[in-house]
Amino acid sequence: MSTTKKKNSKEEGQLETENIDVLGARVHNLKDIDVSIPRNQLSVITGLSGSGKSSLAFDTIYAEGQRRYIETFSAYARQFLGGMERPDVDKITGLSPVIAIEQKTTNKNPRSTVGTITELYDFLRLLYARASVAYSYETGEKMVKYTDEQIIELIYNKFNEKRIYILAPIVKGRKGHYKELFEQIRKKGFLYARVDGEIVELLHGFKVDRYKSHTIEILIDKLVVDEVGDKRLKESIQMAMKHGKGITMIMDKDSDEVKYYSRLLMCPSTGLSYNTPAPHSFSFNSPHGACPKCKGLGRISAIDIEKIIPDNSVSIHAGGIIPLGKYKNSLIFWQIEAIARKYDFDLKTPIKGIPDEALSIILDGSSETFKLENTPLGNSSNYFLSFDGVLKYISNQESSTTSKKAKKWAEQFIKNTLCPTCEGQRLKKESLYFKIHDKNITDLAQMDLSLLSEWFGDLEQHLNEKQQIIAKEILKEIRSRLGFLTRRWLGIFISKPKFNQFIRW
Ligand SMILES: [Zn+2]
């Protein structure tokens, strides 16, 4: 391994020491080496694969710089960051704060900024968990959250002298017959429920259409609102909260108007609720925060239909569906023949002549069963099979862990695209609707550091008194980190596998 250096033409001011001196580095395969790297210059570490370039750059110098950086934080801050181990080295002198940027060939994220690759993001998460304002992703309204006393007060103000139903929402837009659920409700002593907007009596054996989505609320009580101190109102609200997991619904019996009240963050019009946010709600590395579609990567692999059917004037028989190739006497073609019979075309029809519905079954599959004429058991008139579709077959091959060949074959039909759910923002929808001064956490992570410093500069003016108190300590840390980040840096750029570079600017 050798170190070469190139003098930086521009002097960057006086430094305390001239070199970064590493003494007795023994991390991984490093053999107790000493190295002196000039500061304020571009240094390149080169060497054969396995000679320890990364062990020196990453696991020794970067790790130690990072560890010292974290040690400068207050005890308050460190509890959110976790400790770092000291690398196996006798001494490193002349080190300034370190940033490492690794050039990876996979999972390149064009949106990665300094804000996401330093601990700054951890503080932003903390700030958003404590001091942000939640908005409904359904209506854009500010989410609300009340104490039980406030809820009673609000109900009294809105429904005074009115006849109301107190309801506990338990199912929202989900499929099922719910026979057992209705039975449980009955056993708890409730005789009525509101099912898909209608009040129904829960007779023994009551159930709903299992293939349809349903919304169900338990009818807890019917009463006339007359005084705030009403014991029955209070008890019924508590009961509704218990069954509705913190959410109660009030319906005006005469106008059918419905209003939701919640101990949790909730959209006042739709009853959509969010969990109380925690720092992990804003982490794309945590299942609590990551976009469920792309698992926090911001991009997904999707099948590229142009590559599957590049020319729709060709028939399936002639190989128009590229992954299938030309007609063969095989199960998948027998299945497609069965689909073709049902939709009244044949395999020699050019693909553009195939009805849309049938083509979508061929590509995406169907739970419907099709009667095969050719079957693995010879000609049998009673052989039915459902069809998973060509795309499912490709994605199964792509995620194959056993066959590299299958994976490679499938990859030719797959393109890597921006995740349509989070549009590359990597977090789940609700996490993106927690805002501070009109910005969500991703907006901040994407800003460059000088803009971010500016944004934080007068943030208090845009916070209410309560937010200011909660955010005070966190803002102090963020500002000190931002000040720190805009100062001098030792940067390590790693470009693999050809060479490693040290650069300081
Ligand atoms: Zn996503």
Side-chain angles (χ1 to χ4, degrees):
M1 188 166 64
S2 64
T3 2
T4 56
K5 39 192 169 170
K6 193 179 126 227
K7 189 83 184 147
N8 206 342
S9 56
K10 206 176 132 213
E11 274 306 321
E12 289 185 53
Q14 211 57 39
L15 290 163
E16 313 88 276
T17 51
E18 281 180 13
N19 298 314
I20 296 167
D21 292 312
V22 179
L23 297 169
R26 288 175 300 273
V27 175
H28 303 152
N29 45 356
L30 295 177
K31 303 257 173 352
D32 205 9
I33 66 154
D34 301 343
V35 58
S36 185
I37 300 166
R39 293 180 55 127
N40 220 12
Q41 289 178 23
L42 177 68
S43 298
V44 179
I45 305 178
T46 62
L48 293 172
S49 170
S51 61
K53 302 179 294 295
S54 296
S55 298
L56 177 64
F58 258 134
D59 304 319
T60 309
I61 300 174
Y62 172 67
E64 178 62 7
Q66 199 63 2
R67 195 185 62 80
R68 290 186 196 175
Y69 173 47
I70 285 170
E71 276 195 348
T72 65
F73 289 19
S74 66
Y76 171 77
R78 279 204 306 271
Q79 64 177 312
F80 301 106
L81 299 173
M84 282 185 78
E85 263 180 51
R86 185 185 289 274
D88 189 1
V89 57
D90 292 335
K91 196 175 177 189
I92 301 181
T93 60
L95 201 53
S96 47
V98 183
I99 183 170
I101 297 165
E102 189 175 6
Q103 184 192 313
K104 288 182 179 166
T105 47
T106 52
N107 288 343
K108 254 186 253 167
N109 179 12
R111 285 160 187 271
S112 196
T113 62
V114 178
T116 60
I117 56 174
T118 65
E119 297 71 29
L120 189 60
Y121 192 74
D122 296 316
F123 286 102
L124 296 181
R125 292 197 290 127
L126 190 58
L127 181 69
Y128 273 77
R130 303 278 162 84
S132 61
V133 178
Y135 294 87
S136 164
Y137 61 69
E138 284 178 345
T139 63
E141 284 170 89
K142 202 164 154 177
M143 303 286 270
V144 291
K145 177 180 173 178
Y146 300 115
T147 63
D148 286 9
E149 291 69 35
Q150 286 172 316
I151 290 170
I152 304 251
E153 183 87 33
L154 287 164
I155 293 172
Y156 177 76
N157 290 338
K158 178 148 182 73
F159 298 99
N160 193 17
E161 317 237 307
K162 289 193 171 149
R163 290 190 296 168
I164 59 165
Y165 285 159
I166 297 173
L167 301 149
I170 47 169
V171 172
K172 202 177 175 193
R174 284 205 319 268
K175 281 181 188 160
H177 57 64
Y178 296 109
K179 195 175 163 193
E180 293 80 19
L181 181 76
F182 289 123
E183 198 53 38
Q184 281 168 18
I185 299 172
R186 262 166 56 85
K187 283 194 179 138
K188 282 179 184 144
F190 300 107
L191 301 176
Y192 294 88
R194 185 170 177 261
V195 179
D196 303 325
E198 296 288 326
I199 302 284
V200 294
E201 190 178 356
L202 300 178
L203 299 169
H204 180 70
F206 182 80
K207 60 179 181 181
V208 288
D209 186 341
R210 68 180 308 166
Y211 298 109
K212 287 189 178 150
S213 287
H214 302 285
T215 296
I216 302 167
E217 295 103 22
I218 307 175
L219 176 56
I220 304 287
D221 201 359
K222 310 179 215 184
L223 50 82
V224 177
V225 181
D226 50 11
E227 53 169 322
V228 155
D230 186 346
K231 205 167 156 232
R232 177 165 158 195
L233 176 64
K234 197 174 160 193
E235 281 171 3
S236 295
I237 295 293
Q238 274 171 1
M239 180 70 78
M241 286 289 182
K242 188 177 149 209
H243 292 289
K245 296 203 168 64
I247 297 181
T248 295
M249 208 174 132
I250 303 291
M251 189 174 102
D252 184 324
K253 188 174 179 297
D254 300 310
S255 70
D256 278 4
E257 190 198 353
V258 159
K259 199 103 179 111
Y260 291 92
Y261 297 92
S262 174
R263 292 170 178 163
L264 312 166
L265 282 167
M266 185 202 70
C267 171
S269 307
T270 64
L272 168 76
S273 68
Y274 297 166
N275 287 329
T276 304
H280 65 212
S281 317
F282 303 98
S283 166
F284 39 72
N285 293 321
S286 158
H288 299 281
C291 163
K293 173 96 182 163
C294 63
K295 310 235 169 3
L297 293 173
R299 301 185 74 82
I300 51 158
S301 348
I303 287 174
D304 187 350
I305 205 74
E306 303 269 298
K307 288 183 184 155
I308 308 258
I309 304 174
D311 180 358
N312 67 5
S313 65
V314 180
S315 71
I316 293 177
H317 196 277
I321 298 181
I322 301 293
L324 299 183
K326 287 187 180 157
Y327 185 84
K328 287 179 278 296
N329 210 7
S330 69
L331 179 63
I332 196 155
F333 282 98
W334 301 339
Q335 286 174 307
I336 295 173
E337 275 172 342
I339 297 165
R341 256 193 312 281
K342 180 162 179 194
Y343 287 91
D344 205 22
F345 66 97
D346 68 59
L347 264 51
K348 293 196 172 152
T349 310
I351 291 172
K352 62 183 170 195
I354 297 174
D356 287 349
E357 199 185 336
L359 188 61
S360 115
I361 292 173
I362 294 170
L363 295 174
D364 299 318
S366 165
S367 54
E368 207 181 320
T369 49
F370 295 93
K371 190 171 139 194
L372 300 192
E373 282 193 357
N374 286 317
T375 80
L377 308 172
N379 283 349
S380 152
S381 55
N382 285 318
Y383 200 88
F384 292 84
L385 214 58
S386 63
F387 186 58
D388 280 343
V390 174
L391 304 192
K392 178 85 179 290
Y393 178 71
I394 295 172
S395 56
N396 284 347
Q397 299 291 314
E398 198 244 344
S399 53
S400 163
T401 47
T402 47
S403 167
K404 268 195 180 156
K405 208 173 149 197
K407 205 177 166 77
K408 215 169 158 63
W409 171 81
E411 273 166 6
Q412 63 180 310
F413 305 111
I414 287 173
K415 60 179 174 185
N416 190 267
T417 58
L418 202 64
C419 169
T421 306
C422 65
E423 293 173 328
Q425 297 194 76
R426 307 171 76 179
L427 294 174
K428 64 180 181 186
K429 207 163 169 187
E430 67 176 74
S431 299
L432 297 169
Y433 279 79
F434 285 85
K435 295 184 183 176
I436 294 177
H437 182 23
D438 294 336
K439 298 224 179 285
N440 71 24
I441 193 164
T442 312
D443 296 333
L444 297 196
Q446 286 171 5
M447 280 187 195
D448 77 42
L449 284 173
S450 56
L451 274 177
L452 197 60
S453 294
E454 220 171 274
W455 190 83
F456 272 106
D458 64 346
L459 185 62
E460 275 85 350
Q461 290 176 23
H462 306 282
L463 301 178
N464 65 31
E465 207 179 324
K466 196 176 154 207
Q467 285 175 305
Q468 286 185 29
I469 296 166
I470 298 169
K472 195 169 172 236
E473 285 302 312
I474 311 170
L475 285 178
K476 219 191 271 176
E477 295 289 348
I478 289 176
R479 287 187 177 123
S480 102
R481 289 312 108 199
L482 276 172
F484 204 92
L485 286 168
T486 43
R487 267 183 257 145
R488 296 176 172 284
W489 279 86
L490 167 69
I492 303 178
F493 282 84
I494 305 293
S495 169
K496 292 211 122 180
K498 292 186 188 107
F499 59 90
N500 296 351
Q501 305 172 305
F502 275 55
I503 193 167
R504 185 183 184 291
W505 77 95

